[in-house]
Amino acid sequence: MIMPYAKPQQDRIQRLRAFCLEHKRMPAYSEMLNLFGYRSKNAVYRFMQKLEAAGYVRRAAPRKFAPTGRLTGSIRLLGTVQAGFPSPAEEELVDVLSLDEFLVQRPEATYMLTVSGDSMIDAGIHPGDIVLVERGGLTRNGDIVVAQVDGEWTIKYFSKRGRIVRLEPANKAYQPIVPRHSLVIGGIVKAVIRKYR
Amino acid sequence: MIMPYAKPQQDRIQRLRAFCLEHKRMPAYSEMLNLFGYRSKNAVYRFMQKLEAAGYVRRAAPRKFAPTGRLTGSIRLLGTVQAGFPSPAEEELVDVLSLDEFLVQRPEATYMLTVSGDSMIDAGIHPGDIVLVERGGLTRNGDIVVAQVDGEWTIKYFSKRGRIVRLEPANKAYQPIVPRHSLVIGGIVKAVIRKYR
DNA sequence: CTTGCGAGTGAACGAACGTTCACTATAGTG
DNA sequence: CACTATAGTGAACGTTCGTTCACTCGCAAG
């Protein structure tokens, strides 16, 4: 074997990842003794230094570690379906990221809404889908927005030509809306999520 | 005012939430002094006891706290669009959850794939969408699966009648596939995510 | 006025923590 | 062989942590 110690290290990283995901915190060195199978805290100390160099953890403060997205990001991102699908045996680290960090830029301004109605179905937004809405961003033509027009909330494409704002559905059965009295942009749709089962 | 102390407490919870989201760890009591505006660690101690009683944090070990989903779940879930959209002024806590916890049941068995091809477009799965795939679950009729059939990977509806497995597209331009030689189920599609911008 | 309660201050304490030092064992290299 | 690097052990050290105790202040109820 070329790298006889790569396996145990990957295993320890996996254990640390599991611990962080389950307990939502870093284990103390004394807990890592059991977790990693060491009997000396110095071994833990040096292992954590390697993890820091490898980007799995970072120093949050003196004497304190915090996990990075590399460690606690829960989902592995692979290529496209046609590009191939690694076998469970390979199981190599491609990239790991957290859905929260992947989808949400400003958590304090982001909301989830369940969609009802089929006015955006041609854009692949079905009834029952969940949209991630971010308040307060800059609205541009072509954005999908949650808007209150003349007192009623809808999801539509945003389109502004000159001073005329049009809210366009993605369904030929509906007509574009031109606000008569009031228009409030509740937020921009940043993502659509459909959950099965 | 009936509850003169509700506001500062909500503000402190917000600060704690922000700290946990930013640093991915609990602050120490000494850090909470600045964070909460206290000058005594005892005040911090008693405040944390209230947070524990209120379900924002839990004891991970003696002398250690861990945040609950109530605290660090980043996204607020609201009702349907038509059901109304709370104004930014209200800003009341409806429910808070983490996208990771919401979408992923078994993180170690879940992968993300980017979709190419339009064979599932009538199911609202477009090219460029991201699918969350969970390995190893029990496949049932009607599930959307990632499958390797005769050497090639695709996404299709899973359908089994007797011993005959059919992989059905959601696009009339394509034909159902009946595996000739081999069929490998790579996983079940648990969610579809489309990200804008 | 007194009593009681909630909220905060400030000091003190023991335990646990992360870090460091000295040392051992094994394997690879020239 | 000697030399070096890697991985780990075990003990010790000073710091910081969470917790506890005693006390103060303001306010509302009896």
Side-chain angles (χ1 to χ4, degrees):
Chain A
M1 281 286 260
I2 302 176
M3 300 173 62
Y5 291 103
K7 275 292 179 186
Q9 286 202 5
Q10 283 299 318
D11 188 46
R12 291 191 177 113
I13 293 174
Q14 198 63 37
R15 287 163 190 245
L16 183 59
R17 170 178 293 136
F19 187 100
C20 290
L21 287 177
E22 181 185 350
H23 296 91
K24 294 258 180 70
R25 66 180 177 91
M26 270 280 165
Y29 280 21
S30 54
E31 292 170 301
M32 294 186 199
L33 288 181
N34 304 321
L35 198 64
F36 294 153
Y38 289 133
R39 267 186 292 180
S40 167
K41 284 207 285 183
N42 186 22
V44 176
Y45 174 69
R46 294 223 278 270
F47 182 65
M48 290 303 284
Q49 282 189 320
K50 291 201 173 184
L51 287 195
E52 185 189 1
Y56 287 102
V57 299
R58 63 186 167 79
R59 293 213 101 87
R63 307 161 56 93
K64 276 192 187 305
F65 284 104
T68 64
R70 182 100 170 266
L71 182 69
T72 52
S74 48
I75 308 306
R76 295 159 191 77
L77 179 61
L78 306 181
T80 64
V81 179
Q82 278 77 352
F85 195 75
S87 74
E90 296 183 32
E91 192 78 12
E92 49 182 329
L93 266 184
V94 184
D95 196 9
V96 169
L97 53 86
S98 156
L99 279 175
D100 285 305
E101 293 175 9
F102 178 56
L103 293 176
V104 181
Q105 292 172 11
R106 297 189 294 128
E108 74 285 356
T110 302
Y111 295 79
M112 287 169 61
L113 284 174
T114 304
V115 176
S116 64
D118 58 354
S119 69
M120 292 299 286
I121 201 161
D122 289 343
I125 302 180
H126 295 211
D129 288 0
I130 293 164
V131 287
L132 245 66
V133 184
E134 189 177 302
R135 283 200 224 269
L138 189 63
T139 309
R140 297 187 288 202
N141 278 348
D143 285 350
I144 299 175
V145 296
V146 173
Q148 187 190 40
V149 52
D150 298 333
E152 199 165 339
W153 287 99
T154 58
I155 301 184
K156 294 286 184 298
Y157 278 118
F158 178 86
S159 167
K160 186 175 185 178
R161 294 170 193 268
R163 291 191 171 179
I164 307 298
V165 171
R166 283 157 52 102
L167 298 176
E168 299 173 350
N171 187 335
K172 290 159 191 165
Y174 293 81
Q175 294 297 320
I177 299 177
V178 178
R180 293 179 185 277
H181 305 98
S182 68
L183 172 67
V184 179
I185 302 295
I188 301 171
V189 172
K190 290 291 189 176
V192 179
I193 296 169
R194 181 160 46 248
K195 191 184 175 188
Y196 295 104
R197 274 214 227 154
Chain B
M1 281 288 258
I2 301 176
M3 299 173 63
Y5 290 103
K7 275 292 177 186
Q9 288 202 5
Q10 282 299 318
D11 187 46
R12 290 192 177 112
I13 293 174
Q14 198 63 39
R15 287 163 191 246
L16 183 59
R17 170 178 293 137
F19 188 100
C20 290
L21 287 177
E22 181 184 350
H23 296 92
K24 294 260 180 69
R25 65 181 176 91
M26 269 281 166
Y29 279 22
S30 54
E31 293 171 300
M32 294 187 200
L33 288 181
N34 305 321
L35 198 63
F36 294 154
Y38 288 133
R39 266 187 292 180
S40 167
K41 285 206 286 184
N42 187 21
V44 176
Y45 175 68
R46 294 223 279 270
F47 182 65
M48 290 302 285
Q49 282 189 320
K50 292 200 171 184
L51 287 195
E52 185 189 3
Y56 287 102
V57 299
R58 62 187 168 79
R59 292 213 100 87
R63 305 163 55 91
K64 277 191 187 304
F65 284 104
T68 63
R70 182 101 170 266
L71 182 69
T72 52
S74 49
I75 307 305
R76 294 159 191 78
L77 179 62
L78 306 181
T80 65
V81 179
Q82 278 77 352
F85 196 76
S87 74
E90 295 184 32
E91 193 76 11
E92 49 181 329
L93 267 184
V94 183
D95 197 11
V96 170
L97 53 86
S98 155
L99 279 175
D100 286 304
E101 294 175 9
F102 177 57
L103 293 176
V104 181
Q105 292 172 12
R106 298 190 293 127
E108 74 285 356
T110 302
Y111 296 80
M112 286 168 62
L113 283 174
T114 304
V115 176
S116 64
D118 58 356
S119 68
M120 292 299 285
I121 202 161
D122 289 344
I125 301 179
H126 295 210
D129 287 1
I130 293 164
V131 288
L132 245 67
V133 184
E134 188 178 303
R135 283 199 224 269
L138 189 64
T139 309
R140 297 187 290 202
N141 278 348
D143 285 350
I144 299 175
V145 296
V146 173
Q148 187 189 40
V149 51
D150 297 334
E152 198 165 339
W153 286 100
T154 57
I155 302 185
K156 294 285 184 297
Y157 278 118
F158 179 86
S159 168
K160 186 175 186 178
R161 294 172 193 267
R163 291 191 172 181
I164 307 298
V165 171
R166 283 156 51 101
L167 297 175
E168 299 173 350
N171 186 337
K172 290 158 190 165
Y174 293 82
Q175 295 295 322
I177 299 177
V178 178
R180 293 181 185 277
H181 305 99
S182 69
L183 172 66
V184 178
I185 302 295
I188 302 171
V189 173
K190 290 291 190 177
V192 179
I193 296 169
R194 181 160 47 249
K195 191 183 175 188
Y196 296 105
R197 273 213 230 156

